[in-house]
Amino acid sequence: MLARTSRRLETTLLLSRQSLPCPARLVPRPYSTPSKPAHSPATATAAQPLPSHDYPPYLPASGPSSSSSSTSNQFLQPFLQRTQSFTILPAPYPRDEHKNDPIFTDTVTQDKLAVMDACLHNLYSVTRAKTLFNRLREEKQNVLSTSVYNRVMSSYLQMAAQEESKRAMWVTEAWEVYRAMVSGSEGVLPDHQTYALALNAWRQFSDITGGPSADYKTILSHITTDSRKISLLDIVAHPCIPTQEDAADITKQLARIALEKQDIDTVNILAKAASIASGEGILKIPEAVTALKRSTDESGKVVSEVPFNIQNLRDHLANVAYARQVLPDDMVARQRHLELSAYDMAAERLKFQHEKMNELGLDNRYQDKVLQEYMYSWHSKLSERLAKEIKIIEQEEANKIFRNSATELTPYLSLVAADRLSMITILEAMRLTGTGGISNGMKTTRAMVTIGKAVENEYKARLCKTHGISLPSVSRPDETVFTEFGYSNLHQRRLAAARQMTVGESWTAPWSQLTRAQVGGVLLECLMEIAEITRSAKDRKTGEVVYDTQPAFYHGYEFVRGNKLGVIKVNTAVSERIAKDSVGGVVHPRLLPMLIPPRPWVGPNDGAYLFSKASLMRFKDSVEQQKYLEAAIRSGNIELVMEGLNILGRTPWKINKQVFDVVIQIWNSGERVGKIPPAQYEEAEPQPPVDDSDLSARAIWQGKHKLWQQNVANNHSDRCSVNYKIEIARVTKRSTSHITSTSVAAPTPSHPISTTWAMTSLRGLLRFASSKPLGERGFRWLKIHLANLYGFDKADFDERVEWVHERIDEIKDSAHNPLDGKRWWMKADDPWQALAVCFELTEALESGDPLNFRSSLPVHQDGTCNGLQHYAAMGGDSQGAAQVNLAPVERPSDVYTFVGKKVEKLIDEDAKNGNVHAIALQGKITRKVVKQTVMTTVYGVTFVGARDQLHKQLSDRGDIPEELCWLSSAYLAKRVLACIGDTFVGAQSIQNWLNLCARLISKSISPERFERRVISATEEMEKKEKARMKKKRKGASAASKSKSRKTAASSSAEDMEGLEEEGGEEVKGKKTFAVPMAKMKKEQMTSVIWTTALGLPIVQPYRKSARKQVMTNLQSVYISDPNVPSEVNTMKQASAFPPNFVHSLDATHMVLTGIECSSRNLTFAAVHDSYWTHACDIDQMSAIIRDTFINLHASDMLKRLQEEFKERYKGYRIPVMHLENQNALNKKLVAAGTRVKMIPELAARYKMLGNLIEVTEDVSEQAKVVEGDLAVLDGVVGVSKSKSSTDLPTAADLAKDILASLKEGEDATTTSASASSTEAAEAPEDKPALKEENFEYLMNKFVDVTELLPPLPEKGSFDVNDIRKSLYFFS
């Protein structure tokens, strides 16, 4: 009775403010003053303070944050509106000239570099490496860098120390490499490591005959006269000088020489080095911090800023490197061991499991073996098998017998020990099981390439640091990184950190995809040979247990989307174990969360893990994107991107132990909760029809049964995936962890821990490592957060808080009895995160002082269909802005419900007209049905994609007959897409503009390649002419002089006639030659590239696939070679550009928000458009989210993009043939407002361009479009003229063929097939002939692509500054 009374009293107190009138929008809301906490336990939690404020629900009332916000905006807005520096590189060469490309390395050269790298490793075959190195110096100097020369020079010196008989030869070779670098004759300049190697070489080998040709004095002269001012401290501190005694002696000798030359500066530097070498003052060096000294006038306005002295930081880092200090932190040592001993630890774990089972006397025949026992038996056999196989391959290659073309495999397979290769193969094969859409298996090609890449990564991780680790002590940057000085300092800090982090690293060459596939093929083949399992079953007749040995992996084929695909299938006994057993032995330790903060990002592959290489930016096989990223980093254009990733990586995490305990119980019980799949799929297997003769019923059953089988396989795959995630949470349960991030701010690498963070079902397992008092506002936001997670997120904030107050009993029951109570939390949209909040809120209420309760639970602020928010802001779309909560509204708008209701109205109208699909769908269009389609429309979902999404949603409902479901989903997709287009007109127009720009750009040819192709064709024709003339002369007869003259004249005439057949003609007295249009099409290598507001260049990688066949013993596989760029895929470039551009805005907004939160000491984490911080800091983060979004779009993103395109693609030419009146592109350009202005005479000649032409008499406009613009090289680029119309096709026929090939892959016009046929029937009879004339005239004309870019869509009236007034923009 007392408990019931207390509960009633608590509820009464909690809901006491409900009688207050509903406040108007943005009007100060009066709340009752909270009373002090009661002393009674029953009422202590009831007397919680309720919000009392006179400011919007997401903004802080006052305090330092408001002033810092204005200061931030003062710098942020000018920074985003600055004139950007673009990273521009020439387009890749086409395939037939790719070997001559100065920037993009071809596969053959990359393989030579990789073999040379492997031969240098552990001095495996330095002689072979020397041969390759000298060959590359002659052929491909552009691929050789200073680090390559240093690696070779170092290896030569090691050989000199090792081989006494050839010491003089190796020293001479090393010194020749040094002289080549110092002289700069090969385009490679020395660095601090080069000089350190030279100094150490003189110290070691100065006394031998034929030793170094330069002494200390010469080397010091090279150093001091180097215009790049390389620091002597960096040189003598380099790890290639092996001992402290060597460094001290070299320092002393250099100081003596400098003193003789009276070079006081050098003497001082060397004296400082000597002091450090003796150990003096190392511990006294202070931590370098960023500081900007501001000068203000009388009004307090900042008039100047002075950057901190970066040299202090440089000296500090150099001192640490020189002293070779390893941070005295056990966590660092553990992280180092974790990364470098990954496979060793996995092997030891399996060995321990095996020995433990033997100690217990368990007979494996009767013991139900666990997954680790399988893996240990395979590991033991595979290690021996690989050792033998490598020896066999080595012998074969010694006899010039190669398994795959002429590729050497021995150097690669010798890089990593056989036992480690065994663990790599087993772990990767187990990890790949169930991936790529293959149930209980994996794609053969993917498995081979992945295993090969894992071997490459293991080799590079062990080679990455050969002289210990050195972590840079770089503090958090100041908030003013958006100023010129602040940005410059950030750049200098990264360079300083990069020098420290990369000191001692050896150069390694990337492997090509072909090499990875070949290495992986050997390892996978050996695994399949030895991996076996023993299965048992009862004999049906005798009842005895029968044992059978079966292969664990076997090769097969599956048809995927009509293509025959080679797959590696896993025995069902193994796959079942992956879903049931602990997978601790399968999880790669190196890919777990880090135990220490990640290394700061300083390069494209330098950052995050201590030794394991991770990519700054995630992209798939795009060498072009890699080159742009490297160039942008060299130019210092993306400092803020790297700093944003560093901020995300610095956030420490812990596992929520309360939630984890419940997850384990649910997992072991095998039931489905949220997105944790059940142990057994719940739905019963569909039964076949009773009447087998009913073909229709049998067809329906077959469809249902196939879908059921697919669902069973998907459930099993999901079960395996969740098993990985739970195991990772178990491993990291007792430690603080850090998750690294990539440039799109997604966790990296692509591994279960990545998806643990991004996967909604298990986000409840994560909490911040730090905690903060809730406070009044944090307590309120924690309640709102629970309502959001439960699904009550379309009410206003006050109603959400009230909703939580009304359910206090259920919340407490969920916390105290999550499985034995009412299980209220399981009904939430996100049950696991809701359970985490129930635990947190209950603890706060029962603490007696909820406002001072220290909470570490992340609270989210999520965007409302974030892509549409960006479109509405770019286009000023008032209607769209209101639907996605950009505009101030009384209650939160729900765009999914809005679209769903519009679709319902259309369906009701169609149902009245008797549409069977509309009748089946009446009353069944919910928010959930249309949500995914609405959400992904902005990211470029097609009709097919929308149909598939809706089919899944309708199938999940279960109330629509399966035979109607597919056709009804197609009908519904049309209605949903139409309603979205009507609602978001501004977004549609922007998408069309982006699409058209991409289509034009991807069809263009760079000016350099255009000129080169013309010159190349001219040279080729001249070569043919000379060859024919030479052949004619040899066949000349020895006739009389008169006859000779006659013959010569006849021959000359024939030569000229033949030359004309090849396309030659006279242009203003100069002979020119035609270039076939087919070759010009090969020059269409231009990708769509743009630059984000933070300076990151984005390259779309969509090109026509260039695959190469690789023969293996398993099967013949086709590997896509990213080093062989093909022509761009115009349609993919166009369709992907709108969603990719919006994604880049998402990422930019998130990074800006992260930097701002860090500057104000807020904990920050994010996944796409979901931003997390402590509950008490939500108000500040909400204000920052709005400020960064407003400042981002205040810079007019579309206009800046248009200006970039005009600069980046200036001079790029597009064939005018693409613009012919009947072409779909012409129609779309005309509809978008593109016009090419011409004077009347010129317009008459180009009348076949239709409405794209605009006639003008204005003399000032005539200069914009002249004949040279539309007919660059008119008469030079074209097709060959035929000698006889009866022998060869006419030029018009050729033109039609060329046009057909150029339009290959183009999308059809917007008209339907019937409409097209009707138009064709009504067309005049002479139209085809007219089109032939058009083609013949246009096929050798080109126009600057920037002249065709359509005008920007008209902007609406919505003002982005109104977002500050919107309560539900992010909520």
Side-chain angles (χ1 to χ4, degrees), residues 136-193:
L136 288 170
R137 290 168 73 181
E138 296 174 1
E139 300 173 355
K140 291 276 187 178
Q141 288 189 5
N142 61 295
V143 302
L144 300 177
S145 62
T146 300
S147 58
V148 179
Y149 276 68
N150 288 340
R151 176 86 183 276
V152 172
M153 184 178 173
S154 177
S155 299
Y156 289 172
L157 293 173
Q158 291 179 56
M159 290 297 293
Q162 182 173 303
E163 296 185 355
E164 187 174 353
S165 60
K166 299 181 180 180
R167 181 167 296 167
M169 183 269 287
W170 287 116
V171 172
T172 301
E173 290 289 344
W175 218 249
E176 287 182 1
V177 173
Y178 174 74
R179 281 202 301 266
M181 297 174 71
V182 172
S183 65
S185 58
E186 297 180 7
V188 178
L189 299 177
D191 62 4
H192 58 286
Q193 183 180 359

Side-chain angles (χ1 to χ4, degrees), residues 1282-1320:
S1282 60
K1283 180 178 179 181
S1284 170
S1285 59
T1286 58
D1287 297 334
L1288 295 172
T1290 64
D1293 291 333
L1294 290 174
K1296 287 202 298 184
D1297 293 339
I1298 294 167
L1299 181 63
S1301 67
L1302 288 173
K1303 291 177 66 178
E1304 186 178 344
E1306 283 280 344
D1307 58 339
T1309 58
T1310 54
T1311 57
S1312 63
S1314 59
S1316 299
S1317 60
T1318 304
E1319 290 176 6

Side-chain angles (χ1 to χ4, degrees), residues 86-142:
F86 301 126
T87 303
I88 300 178
L89 298 176
Y93 284 13
R95 195 179 310 180
D96 56 351
E97 294 186 34
H98 183 57
K99 62 181 180 180
N100 300 319
D101 199 315
I103 296 179
F104 301 96
T105 308
D106 61 282
T107 302
V108 175
T109 303
Q110 185 171 328
D111 282 338
K112 288 180 181 178
L113 286 168
V115 172
M116 185 180 79
D117 172 24
C119 289
L120 291 175
H121 179 60
N122 290 336
L123 308 182
Y124 175 77
S125 179
V126 181
T127 303
R128 168 73 171 139
K130 181 167 78 76
T131 302
L132 290 171
F133 177 63
N134 291 334
R135 189 179 302 167
L136 288 170
R137 290 168 73 181
E138 296 174 1
E139 300 173 355
K140 291 276 187 178
Q141 288 189 5
N142 61 295

Side-chain angles (χ1 to χ4, degrees), residues 865 868 896 899 927-943 945-951 953 969 972-978 980:
C865 200
L868 287 173
Y896 311 118
V899 172
R927 177 182 187 273
K928 183 178 179 181
V929 169
V930 301
K931 178 179 179 180
Q932 186 181 14
T933 305
V934 175
M935 185 186 304
T936 55
T937 299
V938 69
Y939 296 121
V941 69
T942 61
F943 167 77
R947 180 195 60 196
D948 293 343
Q949 292 169 352
L950 293 169
H951 178 256
Q953 294 296 332
S969 63
L972 181 59
K974 295 178 182 178
R975 294 293 179 265
V976 172
L977 293 176
I980 294 172

Side-chain angles (χ1 to χ4, degrees), residues 375-624:
M375 294 168 62
Y376 179 74
S377 64
W378 302 342
H379 173 58
S380 303
K381 297 176 184 177
L382 184 58
S383 298
E384 298 177 4
R385 177 72 179 84
L386 286 176
K388 295 177 182 178
E389 186 70 13
I390 292 172
K391 289 182 179 179
I392 294 172
I393 295 174
E394 186 175 9
Q395 293 173 358
E396 290 176 351
E397 293 182 350
N399 297 323
K400 304 298 181 183
I401 301 173
F402 300 97
R403 296 194 174 187
N404 301 292
S405 304
T407 302
E408 299 176 77
L409 294 179
T410 308
Y412 300 107
L413 294 171
S414 302
L415 293 171
V416 181
D419 59 341
R420 195 168 284 112
L421 287 175
S422 170
M423 284 311 306
I424 291 173
T425 308
I426 293 171
L427 288 178
E428 291 299 327
M430 299 297 282
R431 184 176 68 84
L432 289 171
T433 300
T435 61
I438 307 300
S439 176
N440 294 335
M442 66 206 80
K443 297 177 182 177
T444 304
T445 303
R446 183 181 183 186
M448 293 165 61
V449 173
T450 302
I451 292 173
K453 189 171 184 178
V455 175
E456 178 189 10
N457 290 339
E458 173 66 10
Y459 155 61
K460 292 181 177 179
R462 305 191 75 82
L463 193 67
C464 181
K465 290 280 189 178
T466 57
H467 300 279
I469 60 174
S470 178
L471 296 182
S473 177
V474 181
S475 60
R476 178 178 58 84
D478 194 77
E479 62 179 355
T480 52
V481 293
F482 299 117
T483 65
E484 182 179 353
F485 286 132
Y487 188 89
S488 175
N489 287 337
L490 195 63
H491 175 61
Q492 294 296 332
R493 290 161 60 85
R494 179 183 63 82
L495 294 181
R499 280 206 310 278
Q500 182 190 2
M501 288 169 59
T502 57
V503 65
E505 283 194 10
S506 298
W507 164 83
T508 58
W511 295 6
S512 67
Q513 289 286 74
L514 276 65
T515 297
R516 291 169 182 160
Q518 290 165 356
V519 171
V522 171
L523 301 178
L524 186 59
E525 179 190 351
C526 291
L527 173 63
M528 295 178 66
E529 287 180 9
I530 60 90
E532 295 178 337
I533 62 170
T534 301
R535 303 192 66 178
S536 61
K538 286 187 177 182
D539 190 296
R540 293 182 179 180
K541 296 181 180 179
T542 64
E544 296 181 359
V545 178
V546 180
Y547 297 94
D548 181 33
T549 300
Q550 299 178 356
F553 304 89
Y554 58 93
H555 184 263
Y557 292 92
E558 286 189 4
F559 283 92
V560 178
R561 296 178 181 175
N563 297 319
K564 188 178 181 182
L565 187 68
V567 297
I568 304 297
K569 301 292 286 186
V570 181
N571 195 298
T572 53
V574 177
S575 62
E576 288 172 2
R577 278 297 174 189
I578 296 176
K580 295 178 181 178
D581 291 354
S582 170
V583 291
V586 183
V587 176
H588 195 317
R590 186 190 299 153
L591 302 183
L592 292 172
M594 296 188 66
L595 302 176
I596 59 175
R599 292 196 305 167
W601 286 102
V602 297
N605 300 109
D606 294 317
Y609 295 104
L610 299 186
F611 298 99
S612 306
K613 290 293 185 182
S615 296
L616 172 73
M617 188 175 186
R618 297 173 69 182
F619 49 85
K620 184 180 179 181
D621 299 337
S622 176
V623 179
E624 194 175 5

Side-chain angles (χ1 to χ4, degrees), residues 331 334-336 338-339 587-598 608-610 649 651-655 724-733 735-741 747-749 751-757 766:
M331 298 303 289
R334 286 177 57 192
Q335 181 67 34
R336 176 177 57 185
L338 189 69
E339 293 184 31
V587 176
H588 195 317
R590 186 190 299 153
L591 302 183
L592 292 172
M594 296 188 66
L595 302 176
I596 59 175
Y609 295 104
L610 299 186
T651 300
W653 297 90
K654 283 188 176 180
I655 295 297
Y724 273 95
K725 297 170 178 59
I726 292 176
E727 184 63 27
I728 291 173
R730 186 188 65 80
V731 171
T732 58
K733 182 179 178 182
S735 60
T736 299
S737 306
H738 294 262
I739 302 175
T740 62
S741 298
T748 184
H751 194 263
I753 188 60
S754 309
T755 47
T756 298
W757 196 16
L766 294 175

